[in-house]
């Protein structure tokens, strides 16, 4: 089994917030037809959603649940289309481990803290969290600060981290990283 | 089950076989203590030996069997001066009109932290109505987080409210939402989330214990506590 690769996205927080609010409202109203339309579900998946006691029940199922998995995939697809723009994907499966544990990065308290924040999946909306997956985001200002600090450490960092720094510092706006969207 | 409880009760109270049966005039050692009385003229509660192993479950079982003094004695023995045990001890004292003990315990209940949690646990143990709504308002005023209020709403007997609460909980704390859906709402296709089990049990244990104890007594206690705080 191959290790997943971290990807970097430009995040449009307003659009993600709007999608989240729309999803929340449809679930609260239990408007399954509108929900199926929002998620672009085909006939079979829309029927599956309609057969639930409540639509929210489907959303609470495990990620790997055979009934719910294609609906979660649709939801993530819609979220990506609405609010995320792919900037870069690492070629190295070691990048996450380097970011989380490389001693040069860990010794710099502010850098380590910002990286942990960037990789904290609990800060993502529930529909972008994946069991065993890595993900998180940083606002534009924090991204710039971290990119500058990483750039200063560049000579002491491995190639895969420097490749990330180049993409991370070269983008603009809020940044989201994920390894399984 | 009943045998287990009575065996345990014997251990807790140091009772000998046949020492006390309902309606018997043979009182346990502690009940036969000298005629020592409190200021209010009440006889002291039975003294409890071997109480280290007693639990709130023993208290609730004793109360269910109608043994209210025994329940109070267990509470007195296991109370560590904070948390649910102190709350139930104070509520039991209030129920028994033991003003002296109530007055002594209220400051400890006031210190219970986080303060919103007890009010929401009691609200969750009550049927819907103004009393429950008032407790929720007080909890919110004391800083109850959004997930806790969403959880309470998800436990509503009204299906629309329940669904809305579950949706709120999903967006506030998805792991807890899965756990509540599986454990409280009977969704069989949803699995409790290990990340949320500890928070769930901490809250649900208090709620369930208060419900079995008799939420009305804890409501009355909180009325006194919050009146003093105001």
């Amino acid at each position: 089994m191959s290790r997943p690769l971290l990807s970097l996205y430009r995040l449009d927080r307003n659009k993600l917030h709007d999608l989240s609010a729309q999803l929340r409202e449809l679930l609260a109203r239990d408007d399954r037809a509108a929900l199926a339309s929002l998620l672009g579900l085909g006939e079979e998946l829309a029927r599956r959603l309609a057969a639930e006691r409540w639509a929210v029940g489907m959303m609470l199922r495990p990620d790997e649940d055979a009934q719910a998995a294609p609906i979660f995939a649709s939801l993530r697809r819609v979220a990506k289309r609405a609010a995320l723009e792919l900037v870069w994907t690492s070629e190295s499966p070691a990048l996450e481990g380097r970011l989380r544990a490389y001693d040069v990065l860990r010794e710099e308290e502010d850098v380590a803290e910002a990286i942990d924040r960037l990789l904290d999946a609990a800060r993502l909306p529930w529909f972008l969290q994946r069991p065993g997956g890595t993900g998180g985001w940083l606002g534009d200002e924090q991204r710039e600060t971290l990119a500058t600090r990483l750039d200063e450490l560049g000579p002491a960092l491995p190639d895969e981290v420097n490749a990330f720094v180049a993409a991370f510092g070269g983008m603009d706006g809020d940044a989201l990283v994920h390894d399984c969207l | 089950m009943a045998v287990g409880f009575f065996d345990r009760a014997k251990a807790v109270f140091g009772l000998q076989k046949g020492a006390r049966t309902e309606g018997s005039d043979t009182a346990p050692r502690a009940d036969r203590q000298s005629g020592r009385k409190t200021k209010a003229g009440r006889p002291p509660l039975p003294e409890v030996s071997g109480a280290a192993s007693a639990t709130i479950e023993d208290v609730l079982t004793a109360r269910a069997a109608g043994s209210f003094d025994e329940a109070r004695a267990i509470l007195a023995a296991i109370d560590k001066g904070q948390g649910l045990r102190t709350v139930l001890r104070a509520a039991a004292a209030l129920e028994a009109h033991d003003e002296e003990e109530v007055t002594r315990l209220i400051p400890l209940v006031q210190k219970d932290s986080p303060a919103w949690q007890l009010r929401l646990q009691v609200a969750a143990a009550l049927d819907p109505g103004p009393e429950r709504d008032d407790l929720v308002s007080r909890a919110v005023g004391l800083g109850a987080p959004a997930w806790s209020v969403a959880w309470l709403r998800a436990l509503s007997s009204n299906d629309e409210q329940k669904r809305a609460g579950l949706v709120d909980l999903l967006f506030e704390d998805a792991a807890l939402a899965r756990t509540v859906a599986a454990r409280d709402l009977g969704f069989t296709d949803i699995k409790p989330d290990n990340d949320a089990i500890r928070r769930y049990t901490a809250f649900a244990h208090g709620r369930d214990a208060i419900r079995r104890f008799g939420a009305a007594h804890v409501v009355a206690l909180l009325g006194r506590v919050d009146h003093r705080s105001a």
Side-chain angles (χ1 to χ4, degrees):
Chain A
M1 194 169 129
S2 62
R3 289 162 68 191
L5 301 171
L6 273 183
S7 288
L8 178 63
Y9 300 86
R10 184 178 294 106
L11 164 66
D12 187 328
R13 263 196 283 174
N14 289 334
K15 286 186 179 163
L16 188 61
H17 180 267
D18 289 348
L19 172 69
S20 193
Q22 195 180 356
L23 181 63
R24 187 170 183 159
E25 194 205 331
L26 294 178
L27 288 171
R29 287 209 324 255
D30 202 29
D31 187 341
R32 300 170 207 205
L35 187 60
S37 166
L38 174 71
L39 302 185
L41 301 183
E43 206 174 309
E44 164 56 25
L45 291 181
R47 219 181 1 250
R48 210 178 275 182
L49 192 61
E52 282 290 300
R53 175 179 165 197
W54 294 330
V56 67
M58 183 66 89
M59 300 301 172
L60 289 163
R61 288 187 182 209
D63 204 65
E64 67 280 5
D65 179 281
Q67 295 287 309
I71 295 175
F72 289 142
S74 293
L75 177 51
R76 283 191 293 270
R77 209 163 31 241
V78 169
K80 272 170 76 173
R81 205 165 44 225
L84 299 177
E85 180 190 337
L86 181 63
V87 172
W88 173 84
T89 296
S90 173
E91 292 174 358
S92 170
L95 176 59
E96 183 189 348
R98 296 291 198 196
L99 289 172
R100 288 196 190 276
Y102 197 64
D103 55 1
V104 174
L105 299 174
R106 289 294 117 186
E107 281 162 10
E108 303 291 324
E109 203 176 318
D110 60 324
V111 171
E113 198 176 301
I115 289 174
D116 290 344
R117 209 167 152 71
L118 176 65
L119 299 177
D120 179 6
R123 299 177 61 238
L124 291 175
W126 61 270
F127 50 86
L128 293 183
Q129 295 175 19
R130 306 286 308 274
T134 288
W137 66 276
L138 279 184
D140 187 33
E141 201 175 317
Q142 292 170 309
R143 180 194 58 75
E144 276 193 12
T145 305
L146 177 59
T148 304
R149 292 285 286 118
L150 288 172
D151 199 42
E152 289 165 6
L153 298 171
L157 299 177
D159 290 347
E160 57 269 26
V161 177
N162 277 324
F164 169 74
V165 174
F168 192 62
M171 67 180 284
D172 57 357
D174 302 334
L176 183 144
V177 296
H178 214 293
D179 65 355
C180 47
L181 277 185
Chain B
M1 184 79 178
V3 172
F5 163 68
F6 285 113
D7 285 347
R8 194 155 192 179
K10 282 176 199 165
V12 169
F13 293 107
L15 300 181
Q16 298 305 312
K17 198 181 249 182
R20 188 189 189 198
T21 55
E22 200 164 323
S24 160
D25 56 7
T26 312
R29 178 182 52 78
D31 284 349
R32 292 197 313 267
Q33 284 181 338
S34 65
R36 187 162 50 87
K37 306 238 177 187
T38 64
K39 277 185 203 159
R42 297 174 56 83
L45 291 170
E47 279 180 10
V48 177
S49 60
S53 61
T55 65
I56 286 179
E57 182 59 33
D58 295 317
V59 173
L60 299 174
T61 309
R63 284 177 64 86
S67 305
F68 293 93
D69 279 352
E70 288 180 8
R72 285 190 64 199
I74 300 173
L75 280 167
I78 65 176
D79 179 20
K80 292 186 169 71
Q82 61 180 5
L84 186 60
R85 293 169 178 194
T86 304
V87 170
L88 297 184
R89 184 181 177 192
L94 189 63
E95 178 187 29
H97 307 291
D98 185 344
E99 264 314 306
E100 191 181 328
E101 182 151 300
V102 173
T103 305
R104 196 159 41 80
L105 293 174
I106 276 182
L108 299 178
V109 178
Q110 269 175 324
K111 279 195 276 182
D112 198 55
S113 178
W116 58 264
Q117 182 165 292
L118 177 60
R119 277 117 192 115
L120 276 192
Q121 284 171 325
V122 179
L126 288 170
D127 291 328
E131 206 165 45
R132 178 177 162 134
D133 294 344
D134 177 55
L135 278 168
V136 174
S137 298
R138 277 147 67 185
V140 169
L142 289 165
W147 63 259
S148 64
V149 179
W151 183 357
L152 194 68
R153 200 175 173 201
L155 299 178
S156 166
S157 55
N158 174 296
D159 262 4
E160 204 166 310
Q161 288 292 318
K162 186 182 290 188
R163 190 179 64 232
L166 197 52
V167 172
D168 286 346
L169 195 51
L170 171 62
F171 281 80
E172 294 297 337
D173 188 332
L176 186 62
R178 291 186 193 101
T179 305
V180 169
R183 292 198 165 192
D184 283 339
L185 305 181
F187 281 85
T188 53
D189 295 319
I190 299 170
K191 292 181 186 163
D193 192 308
N194 286 337
D195 291 344
I197 291 281
R198 184 180 292 183
R199 268 177 304 141
Y200 174 89
T201 48
F203 186 92
H205 170 66
R207 172 199 64 188
D208 296 344
I210 289 165
R211 184 179 289 149
R212 288 174 62 196
F213 180 89
H217 304 303
V218 188
V219 171
L221 174 70
L222 283 177
R224 293 272 296 265
V225 169
D226 290 347
H227 178 72
R228 265 177 72 124
S229 306

